[in-house]
Amino acid sequence: MGTLEGHLLSGVGFLMYAFYYSSLTSLALLQKQTVLNHLLLPRKLLGHRLIWQVSYEAVMKVIVPAFGIIGEYFYPLGVNRLKMIDWKDPRRLFIFKDNWQHVTMFGFFILSGVVDIVSQAQQARWSMKLERAAEALAFYVLGLLMITHIENKNALEIRVHLLLVLPAFLLALVLTVEIWVPDNAPLWVLKSWMGLVLSTWMMQICEMYIPLTGQPWRADNPMDLAFVAIFFCWHLALGVALLIAIYGLCSLWHRHASSWTKTLGTKYQRCPTESGGEELEKLSAEAVPQDGGV
């Protein structure tokens, strides 16, 4: 993840998760649901029948970090960072610190996805708490390793990664509260907001690798360091704007779906067979034109 591609993969993965969860939250609020229902994969996938139904979220938690782990070890092509200990150099024992930190983060998100799959197979009430606990653990690990990730970094990288810790820690805190207080709408909204902030800030880090202005960020410039904090505050507002936009789009879809359902309900009505025969004859007369009619 220490490259543009690594941050881009993580940023896109978190962004997909944040949009997905924000959409679920918006629809749940519009439909006045008390439980947040996750979308499940169809029973038949690619012509094969699944043993049990799992959510899209659980599958993405496994697939996206798995690609991240492969990239940490073998990207660019031809390298191999599976080696952790350098036995030939007595002056240093462990190598590839950053890569192993990233792999550890990805591994805990895969663990969260596996817990989700097992939990959804059990379909027990207690298993929902286990899902939240595993997901909270993944974000705690993310925050912890980001704090230690700043060792031997310049001032710019230190500030960027410390600001990344804030939404990660708040997400972990919300998930921890959800273990004891599940199905709480304000927590859904806060989780969606922090997820959007985390993902957009990750994309901002990608911009620092290839600046849109063409001017590279300078770690020795106090002005650039000051604007890092300013941009993060803007990302807080951007997260709110994105959440409002997602809610608005879901509201339009909800209205359209509701009107479509009502139209179907009025269009297709059962014939009143249990009423008198006079009503049936009246309906038949209206349907068949009389002799001499146009």
Side-chain angles (χ1 to χ4, degrees):
M1 197 172 67
T3 61
L4 170 64
E5 294 82 0
H7 285 93
L8 186 61
L9 175 66
S10 302
V12 170
F14 280 122
L15 194 61
M16 291 172 58
Y17 174 78
F19 278 145
Y20 166 79
Y21 194 86
S22 299
S23 301
L24 289 183
T25 299
S26 300
L27 290 174
L29 294 175
L30 289 168
Q31 297 171 0
K32 295 180 172 58
Q33 297 176 358
T34 58
V35 178
L36 197 64
N37 297 319
H38 294 267
L39 299 178
L40 300 178
L41 289 171
R43 278 291 185 182
K44 283 191 175 182
L45 188 64
L46 300 177
H48 300 282
R49 186 175 180 84
L50 300 179
I51 300 176
W52 55 71
Q53 281 190 296
V54 297
S55 65
Y56 288 91
E57 176 186 355
V59 175
M60 292 302 296
K61 283 182 183 178
V62 175
I63 293 178
V64 174
F67 278 105
I69 290 176
I70 295 173
E72 290 294 336
Y73 284 141
F74 305 111
Y75 183 84
L77 296 178
V79 303
N80 187 349
R81 302 188 186 90
L82 280 172
K83 187 178 179 181
M84 182 186 294
I85 299 176
D86 189 359
W87 300 101
K88 297 180 180 180
D89 190 352
R91 293 171 298 178
R92 61 175 184 173
L93 179 60
F94 298 104
I95 56 177
F96 303 129
K97 170 186 72 71
D98 291 349
N99 301 96
W100 280 99
Q101 284 181 333
H102 299 153
V103 167
T104 303
M105 298 175 202
F106 288 136
F108 273 89
F109 280 102
I110 291 179
L111 174 64
S112 175
V114 172
V115 170
D116 287 355
I117 294 174
V118 175
S119 169
Q120 290 158 15
Q122 296 291 329
Q123 294 183 349
R125 182 64 181 174
W126 59 265
S127 60
M128 293 295 296
K129 296 184 177 182
L130 188 61
E131 291 181 35
R132 299 286 77 80
E135 193 173 11
L137 177 62
F139 280 104
Y140 278 125
V141 170
L142 173 62
L144 174 63
L145 292 181
M146 280 294 103
I147 293 174
T148 60
H149 192 64
I150 61 179
E151 296 175 355
N152 301 322
K153 304 287 185 181
N154 58 46
L156 179 64
E157 291 179 307
I158 290 174
R159 185 160 299 188
V160 166
H161 285 86
L162 285 180
L163 290 173
L164 190 66
V165 172
L166 178 59
F169 176 75
L170 288 177
L171 276 170
L173 189 60
V174 169
L175 289 164
T176 303
V177 175
E178 280 189 327
I179 298 175
W180 291 277
V181 189
D183 306 326
N184 187 280
L187 292 180
W188 298 345
V189 175
L190 181 57
K191 182 180 175 182
S192 301
W193 179 37
M194 286 296 103
L196 290 169
V197 172
L198 178 68
S199 55
T200 58
W201 186 245
M202 189 74 73
M203 302 300 289
Q204 177 70 53
I205 296 176
C206 296
E207 191 275 335
M208 292 181 179
Y209 281 93
I210 303 180
L212 297 177
T213 60
Q215 298 293 332
W217 290 74
R218 295 166 294 178
D220 56 348
N221 189 338
M223 192 70 69
D224 289 4
L225 295 177
F227 266 94
V228 170
I230 293 173
F231 282 173
F232 181 79
C233 294
W234 290 359
H235 277 268
L236 294 175
L238 176 62
V240 175
L242 288 175
L243 188 56
I244 294 174
I246 293 171
Y247 183 85
L249 292 174
C250 290
S251 178
L252 292 175
W253 181 88
H254 179 66
R255 289 181 182 177
H256 178 72
S258 299
S259 61
W260 182 69
T261 304
K262 290 179 181 179
T263 303
L264 286 180
T266 56
K267 184 176 181 180
Y268 297 101
Q269 294 182 355
R270 295 187 62 183
C271 184
T273 56
E274 296 181 358
S275 60
E278 297 178 357
E279 292 183 340
L280 287 175
E281 292 177 0
K282 184 178 179 181
L283 290 173
S284 300
E286 291 177 356
V288 180
Q290 302 294 330
D291 294 338
V294 179

Coordinates of all heavy atoms in Angstrom, one line a residue, residues 78-114:
G78 N 7.9 -9.6 -10.5 CA 9.3 -10.0 -10.4 C 9.8 -9.9 -9.0 O 10.9 -10.5 -8.7
V79 N 9.1 -9.2 -8.1 CA 9.6 -9.1 -6.7 C 8.9 -10.1 -5.8 O 7.9 -10.7 -6.2 CB 9.3 -7.7 -6.1 CG1 10.0 -6.6 -7.0 CG2 7.8 -7.4 -6.0
N80 N 9.5 -10.4 -4.7 CA 9.0 -11.4 -3.7 C 9.3 -10.9 -2.3 O 10.5 -10.9 -1.9 CB 9.6 -12.7 -4.0 CG 8.9 -13.8 -3.1 OD1 8.1 -13.5 -2.2 ND2 9.2 -15.1 -3.4
R81 N 8.3 -10.4 -1.6 CA 8.5 -9.8 -0.3 C 7.9 -10.8 0.8 O 7.7 -10.3 1.9 CB 7.8 -8.5 -0.2 CG 8.3 -7.4 -1.2 CD 7.8 -6.1 -0.9 NE 8.1 -5.1 -1.9 CZ 7.3 -4.9 -3.0 NH1 6.2 -5.5 -3.1 NH2 7.7 -4.0 -3.9
L82 N 7.8 -12.0 0.5 CA 7.3 -13.0 1.5 C 8.3 -13.2 2.6 O 8.0 -13.6 3.7 CB 7.0 -14.3 0.8 CG 5.7 -14.5 0.1 CD1 5.6 -15.8 -0.7 CD2 4.5 -14.4 1.1
K83 N 9.6 -12.9 2.3 CA 10.7 -13.0 3.3 C 10.5 -12.0 4.4 O 10.4 -10.8 4.1 CB 12.0 -12.9 2.6 CG 13.2 -13.2 3.5 CD 14.5 -13.1 2.6 CE 15.7 -13.4 3.5 NZ 17.0 -13.3 2.7
M84 N 10.5 -12.4 5.6 CA 10.4 -11.5 6.8 C 11.7 -11.3 7.5 O 11.9 -10.2 8.0 CB 9.4 -12.0 7.8 CG 9.1 -11.1 8.9 SD 8.0 -11.9 10.2 CE 6.5 -12.0 9.3
I85 N 12.6 -12.3 7.5 CA 13.8 -12.2 8.3 C 15.0 -12.3 7.3 O 15.0 -13.2 6.5 CB 13.9 -13.3 9.4 CG1 12.7 -13.1 10.3 CG2 15.2 -13.3 10.1 CD1 12.6 -14.3 11.4
D86 N 16.0 -11.4 7.5 CA 17.2 -11.5 6.7 C 18.3 -12.2 7.5 O 18.9 -11.6 8.4 CB 17.6 -10.1 6.3 CG 18.8 -10.1 5.4 OD1 19.2 -11.2 5.0 OD2 19.2 -9.0 5.0
W87 N 18.5 -13.5 7.3 CA 19.4 -14.3 8.0 C 20.9 -13.9 7.7 O 21.8 -14.3 8.4 CB 19.2 -15.7 7.8 CG 17.8 -16.2 8.2 CD1 16.7 -16.4 7.4 CD2 17.3 -16.4 9.6 NE1 15.6 -16.8 8.2 CE2 16.0 -16.8 9.5 CE3 18.0 -16.3 10.8 CZ2 15.2 -17.1 10.6 CZ3 17.2 -16.6 11.9 CH2 15.9 -17.0 11.8
K88 N 21.1 -13.3 6.5 CA 22.4 -13.1 6.0 C 23.1 -11.8 6.6 O 24.3 -11.7 6.7 CB 22.5 -12.9 4.5 CG 22.0 -14.2 3.8 CD 22.0 -14.1 2.3 CE 21.6 -15.4 1.6 NZ 21.6 -15.2 0.1
D89 N 22.2 -10.9 7.0 CA 22.7 -9.6 7.6 C 22.5 -9.5 9.1 O 21.3 -9.4 9.5 CB 22.0 -8.4 6.9 CG 22.7 -7.1 7.2 OD1 23.6 -7.0 8.1 OD2 22.3 -6.0 6.6
P90 N 23.5 -9.7 9.9 CA 23.3 -9.7 11.3 C 22.9 -8.4 11.9 O 22.5 -8.3 13.1 CB 24.7 -10.2 11.9 CG 25.6 -9.8 10.8 CD 24.9 -9.9 9.5
R91 N 23.1 -7.3 11.1 CA 22.8 -5.9 11.6 C 21.3 -5.6 11.6 O 20.9 -4.7 12.3 CB 23.5 -4.9 10.8 CG 25.1 -5.0 10.9 CD 25.7 -4.1 9.9 NE 25.4 -4.5 8.5 CZ 25.9 -3.8 7.4 NH1 26.6 -2.7 7.6 NH2 25.6 -4.3 6.2
R92 N 20.5 -6.4 10.9 CA 19.1 -6.2 10.9 C 18.4 -7.6 10.8 O 18.9 -8.5 10.1 CB 18.6 -5.3 9.7 CG 19.0 -5.9 8.3 CD 18.3 -5.0 7.3 NE 18.6 -5.6 5.9 CZ 18.0 -5.1 4.8 NH1 17.2 -4.0 4.9 NH2 18.2 -5.6 3.7
L93 N 17.4 -7.7 11.6 CA 16.7 -9.0 11.6 C 15.5 -9.0 10.7 O 15.3 -9.9 9.8 CB 16.3 -9.3 13.0 CG 15.5 -10.6 13.3 CD1 16.4 -11.8 12.8 CD2 15.1 -10.8 14.7
F94 N 14.6 -8.0 10.9 CA 13.3 -8.0 10.1 C 13.4 -7.1 8.9 O 14.1 -6.0 9.0 CB 12.1 -7.6 11.0 CG 11.9 -8.6 12.1 CD1 12.3 -8.3 13.4 CD2 11.3 -9.8 11.9 CE1 12.1 -9.1 14.5 CE2 11.1 -10.7 13.0 CZ 11.5 -10.4 14.2
I95 N 12.8 -7.5 7.8 CA 12.8 -6.6 6.6 C 11.3 -6.5 6.1 O 10.4 -7.2 6.5 CB 13.7 -7.2 5.5 CG1 13.2 -8.7 5.2 CG2 15.1 -7.2 5.9 CD1 14.0 -9.3 4.1
F96 N 11.2 -5.5 5.2 CA 9.9 -5.2 4.6 C 8.8 -4.9 5.6 O 7.7 -5.4 5.6 CB 9.4 -6.4 3.7 CG 10.3 -6.8 2.6 CD1 10.7 -8.1 2.5 CD2 10.9 -5.8 1.8 CE1 11.6 -8.5 1.5 CE2 11.8 -6.2 0.7 CZ 12.1 -7.5 0.6
K97 N 9.2 -4.0 6.5 CA 8.2 -3.6 7.6 C 6.9 -3.1 7.1 O 5.8 -3.5 7.6 CB 8.9 -2.6 8.5 CG 8.0 -2.0 9.6 CD 8.7 -0.8 10.3 CE 8.9 0.4 9.5 NZ 7.6 1.1 9.2
D98 N 7.0 -2.1 6.2 CA 5.7 -1.5 5.7 C 4.8 -2.5 5.1 O 3.6 -2.5 5.3 CB 6.1 -0.4 4.8 CG 6.7 0.8 5.4 OD1 6.7 0.9 6.7 OD2 7.3 1.7 4.7
N99 N 5.4 -3.4 4.3 CA 4.6 -4.4 3.6 C 3.9 -5.3 4.6 O 2.7 -5.7 4.4 CB 5.4 -5.2 2.6 CG 6.1 -4.3 1.5 OD1 7.2 -3.9 1.7 ND2 5.3 -4.0 0.5
W100 N 4.6 -5.8 5.6 CA 4.0 -6.7 6.6 C 3.0 -6.0 7.4 O 2.0 -6.6 7.9 CB 5.1 -7.3 7.4 CG 5.8 -8.4 6.7 CD1 7.0 -8.4 6.1 CD2 5.3 -9.8 6.6 NE1 7.2 -9.6 5.5 CE2 6.2 -10.5 5.8 CE3 4.1 -10.4 7.0 CZ2 6.1 -11.8 5.5 CZ3 4.0 -11.8 6.7 CH2 4.9 -12.5 6.0
Q101 N 3.1 -4.7 7.6 CA 2.1 -3.9 8.3 C 0.8 -3.9 7.5 O -0.3 -4.1 8.0 CB 2.5 -2.5 8.6 CG 3.5 -2.4 9.8 CD 3.9 -1.0 10.1 OE1 3.9 -0.1 9.2 NE2 4.3 -0.7 11.3
H102 N 1.0 -3.6 6.2 CA -0.2 -3.6 5.3 C -0.9 -4.9 5.2 O -2.1 -5.0 5.2 CB 0.2 -3.1 3.9 CG 0.8 -1.7 3.9 ND1 1.7 -1.3 2.9 CD2 0.6 -0.7 4.7 CE1 2.1 -0.1 3.2 NE2 1.4 0.3 4.3
V103 N -0.1 -6.0 5.1 CA -0.6 -7.4 5.0 C -1.4 -7.7 6.3 O -2.5 -8.3 6.2 CB 0.5 -8.4 4.8 CG1 0.0 -9.8 5.0 CG2 1.0 -8.2 3.4
T104 N -0.9 -7.2 7.4 CA -1.6 -7.5 8.7 C -3.0 -6.8 8.7 O -4.0 -7.4 9.1 CB -0.8 -7.0 9.9 OG1 0.5 -7.7 9.9 CG2 -1.5 -7.3 11.2
M105 N -3.0 -5.5 8.2 CA -4.3 -4.8 8.1 C -5.3 -5.6 7.2 O -6.4 -5.8 7.6 CB -4.1 -3.4 7.6 CG -3.2 -2.5 8.4 SD -2.9 -1.0 7.6 CE -1.4 -0.4 8.4
F106 N -4.8 -5.9 6.0 CA -5.7 -6.6 5.1 C -6.1 -8.0 5.7 O -7.3 -8.4 5.5 CB -4.9 -6.9 3.8 CG -4.7 -5.7 2.9 CD1 -3.5 -5.5 2.3 CD2 -5.7 -4.8 2.7 CE1 -3.2 -4.3 1.6 CE2 -5.5 -3.7 1.9 CZ -4.2 -3.4 1.4
G107 N -5.3 -8.6 6.4 CA -5.6 -9.9 7.0 C -6.7 -9.8 8.0 O -7.6 -10.7 8.0
F108 N -6.8 -8.8 8.8 CA -7.9 -8.6 9.8 C -9.2 -8.3 9.1 O -10.2 -8.7 9.6 CB -7.5 -7.6 10.8 CG -6.7 -8.1 12.0 CD1 -5.3 -8.1 11.9 CD2 -7.3 -8.6 13.1 CE1 -4.6 -8.7 13.0 CE2 -6.6 -9.1 14.1 CZ -5.2 -9.2 14.1
F109 N -9.1 -7.6 8.0 CA -10.4 -7.4 7.2 C -10.9 -8.7 6.6 O -12.1 -8.9 6.5 CB -10.2 -6.3 6.2 CG -10.3 -4.9 6.8 CD1 -9.1 -4.1 7.0 CD2 -11.5 -4.3 7.1 CE1 -9.2 -2.9 7.5 CE2 -11.6 -3.0 7.6 CZ -10.4 -2.3 7.9
I110 N -10.0 -9.5 6.1 CA -10.4 -10.8 5.6 C -11.0 -11.6 6.7 O -12.0 -12.3 6.6 CB -9.2 -11.6 5.0 CG1 -8.7 -10.9 3.7 CG2 -9.5 -13.0 4.7 CD1 -7.5 -11.5 3.1
L111 N -10.4 -11.6 7.9 CA -11.0 -12.2 9.1 C -12.4 -11.8 9.4 O -13.3 -12.6 9.7 CB -10.1 -12.0 10.3 CG -10.6 -12.6 11.7 CD1 -10.7 -14.1 11.6 CD2 -9.7 -12.2 12.8
S112 N -12.6 -10.4 9.3 CA -14.0 -9.9 9.5 C -14.9 -10.4 8.4 O -16.1 -10.8 8.8 CB -13.9 -8.4 9.4 OG -15.2 -7.8 9.5
G113 N -14.5 -10.6 7.2 CA -15.3 -11.1 6.1 C -15.7 -12.6 6.4 O -16.8 -13.0 6.2
V114 N -14.7 -13.4 6.8 CA -15.0 -14.8 7.1 C -15.9 -14.9 8.3 O -16.8 -15.8 8.3 CB -13.6 -15.5 7.5 CG1 -13.9 -16.9 8.0 CG2 -12.7 -15.5 6.2

